[in-house]
Amino acid sequence: MRVRSAFTALALSAAVALASCQGSDVLNLAAEAPLPRDVVNIMSAKGMTKSSPIMMRIFKEEEVLEVWKQTDTGRYDLVKTYEICEFSGDKGPKFREGDRQSPEGFYFVNRNLLNPNSSYHLSFNLGFPNAFDRSHGRTGSFLMVHGDCSSRGCYAMTDKYITEIYAFAREALRGGRQNEFQVQAFPFRMTPENMAAHRDSPHFEYWKMLKSGYDHFELTRTPPKVDVCERKYIFNQIPEDGDFEAAAQCPQTTMPAPLAIAYNQLKQQHALQFERAVARLEGRPLDLSEGMTGLLDLPPTPVRQVEPLTPAEVLPTIGQPPEASVQPAPAVQPAGQSAPSSAQSTPLTAITPGTAGPIIATSSGSGITANSGPQAAPAAPGVAPDSGAGTGVPLPASRPLQ
């Protein structure tokens, strides 16, 4: 009897040991879940593979997260839109740890920021605070996109949706064509009409800066190159000398001429649409300021291809070694509607949102300063110079109140 009991105990121990090994696999089943067949079919029809580079956009007001992937044309197309189950706070950026506010801005997620063992099913860290946030003294940690439907500074997507979103991220980062993917978090879709509706917000100036990156994506359908200097985001700018440092004066920069023309025209067009929207909201006639009346007679915009940013132009600011860089996609004739992009060297093609092809668009009052920058804004007290967009730190299974 004693021998039988000992044998039984030994067998149970072996079973527990085996179960614990299998338990690890079970815990990782969600992290290794394949993309659904219907999603794979959509990607195939759009000229994408599971390993094609991705980017994501988040819109608070619309409560959606979009997943975009690079097509075989080199530009990006929307694959799927997911409803956000819960996010913290209101429209506006996150300022400090504990303010229970979900961040807004441009963030980059690499493999180290994926968490297959999250207390919220699966998750990835947005990388807050990035270089822009740090230059303004903003604080917070472990700001994530995760499962479940509760948020303490994060974007909660439900377990079902995060499983798919996580699979998109996992497959793209494993594919070897990008080392990180861009997540653009906005308060709302940055149309002139929405900007007019929120013109009295204390965050309006910040949102104007985010809109610049939003517009670059809409024009090119590739994720914009993002840098920070003078404590401001700048997009698709190539430094002629020096490097970008978040709290320092911007170096002399240039932008590919066709893209600069397209962007300036788009700003002029949006300035007019903004003024019209404000006039409607205030119940008054349109009253254009001096210098804007010519916008009413803007000619049809010509169709042309915008030159791509090359790996040599992009690499110095994203800090990737040449062998790890993303290879530029071949420039092709565009087709389809406007959309987001990826942070690497793909063709920049100007597209007017809502049209079927690449086209020089039209634009607003401030213009582009491609060859000079204003004086450096004073750095936030105690904030050291910083460079690049930053990524943050890997996230733990559980996190503090945000």
Side-chain angles (χ1 to χ4, degrees):
M1 186 69 174
R2 195 173 298 168
V3 174
R4 183 181 299 173
S5 298
F7 179 79
T8 302
L10 183 61
L12 286 173
S13 298
V16 168
L18 178 60
S20 66
C21 294
Q22 292 176 332
S24 174
D25 294 336
V26 169
L27 289 175
N28 286 317
L29 280 179
E32 295 299 325
L35 285 165
R37 174 51 53 186
D38 62 325
V39 171
V40 174
N41 290 340
I42 290 171
M43 293 192 301
S44 179
K46 291 179 177 246
M48 309 163 180
T49 67
K50 289 186 287 187
S51 61
S52 298
I54 64 167
M55 68 157 281
M56 299 182 190
R57 296 200 300 184
I58 292 171
F59 298 99
K60 287 182 175 177
E61 187 167 85
E62 293 80 2
E63 298 184 349
V64 296
L65 180 150
E66 298 175 341
V67 176
W68 296 73
K69 284 183 77 71
Q70 190 180 54
T71 70
D72 53 14
T73 70
R75 295 180 14 234
Y76 282 62
D77 200 354
L78 179 64
V79 182
K80 193 164 181 178
T81 299
Y82 298 90
E83 291 184 7
I84 298 172
C85 189
E86 186 68 44
F87 66 88
S88 296
D90 201 350
K91 294 183 287 291
K94 183 175 182 63
F95 291 100
R96 63 188 179 277
E97 185 112 27
D99 65 4
R100 301 182 73 96
Q101 184 73 7
S102 298
E104 295 172 2
F106 290 78
Y107 298 93
F108 293 85
V109 178
N110 59 38
R111 292 184 69 171
N112 292 332
L113 298 182
L114 303 185
N115 186 5
N117 301 309
S118 173
S119 298
Y120 296 83
H121 192 59
L122 296 167
S123 63
F124 58 82
N125 191 334
L126 286 171
F128 181 96
N130 63 16
F132 174 89
D133 302 318
R134 293 192 296 272
S135 75
H136 287 267
R138 297 179 180 176
T139 59
S141 54
F142 311 125
L143 279 300
M144 304 179 290
V145 175
H146 61 62
D148 200 38
C149 193
S150 64
S151 171
R152 293 181 290 178
C154 302
Y155 293 97
M157 304 301 304
T158 74
D159 292 355
K160 176 183 177 181
Y161 288 164
I162 194 60
T163 300
E164 288 188 23
I165 295 166
Y166 189 95
F168 273 115
R170 179 196 69 228
E171 294 299 327
L173 293 175
R174 284 179 180 173
R177 295 170 60 188
Q178 65 180 156
N179 293 329
E180 58 186 13
F181 65 88
Q182 192 174 116
V183 179
Q184 305 172 1
F186 298 109
F188 43 78
R189 296 191 184 276
M190 312 298 278
T191 64
E193 293 75 18
N194 280 343
M195 294 297 289
H198 295 88
R199 66 194 181 282
D200 296 327
S201 170
H203 308 303
F204 185 71
E205 290 302 316
Y206 178 65
W207 291 341
K208 284 169 62 177
M209 183 169 50
L210 296 188
K211 181 178 176 356
S212 177
Y214 175 93
D215 288 344
H216 273 269
F217 176 70
E218 292 291 326
L219 280 170
T220 66
R221 296 183 65 185
T222 56
K225 175 179 175 291
V226 181
D227 293 287
V228 181
C229 58
E230 297 176 12
R231 302 169 69 201
K232 302 180 300 185
Y233 284 116
I234 62 171
F235 304 96
N236 289 330
Q237 295 280 0
I238 311 303
E240 293 186 343
D241 54 0
D243 297 317
F244 292 111
E245 294 185 359
Q249 182 172 350
C250 294
Q252 293 282 100
T253 61
T254 58
M255 181 184 296
L259 176 59
I261 293 169
Y263 178 59
N264 274 315
Q265 289 181 334
L266 182 65
K267 288 173 66 180
Q268 293 169 17
Q269 194 176 66
H270 283 187
L272 177 58
Q273 294 169 3
F274 176 86
E275 293 299 330
R276 282 176 169 157
V278 170
R280 284 196 301 270
L281 290 168
E282 296 179 353
R284 58 171 175 79
L286 179 63
D287 181 19
L288 293 178
S289 60
E290 184 179 355
M292 291 187 65
T293 53
L295 298 180
L296 297 173
D297 301 315
L298 284 171
T301 54
V303 176
R304 69 184 296 180
Q305 182 105 355
V306 174
E307 292 299 317
L309 295 178
T310 67
E313 292 169 326
V314 175
L315 285 174
T317 49
I318 62 175
Q320 294 178 349
E323 62 271 18
S325 67
V326 174
Q327 296 302 311
V332 297
Q333 291 304 316
Q337 36 195 284
S338 57
S341 45
S342 113
Q344 318 285 32
S345 52
T346 49
L348 291 171
T349 306
I351 297 181
T352 299
T355 67
I359 158 170
I360 297 297
T362 21
S363 103
S364 111
S366 56
I368 287 183
T369 52
N371 295 311
S372 64
Q375 294 301 309
V383 176
D386 206 341
S387 63
T391 52
V393 295
L395 55 97
S398 59
R399 56 193 164 79
L401 175 68
Q402 294 298 325

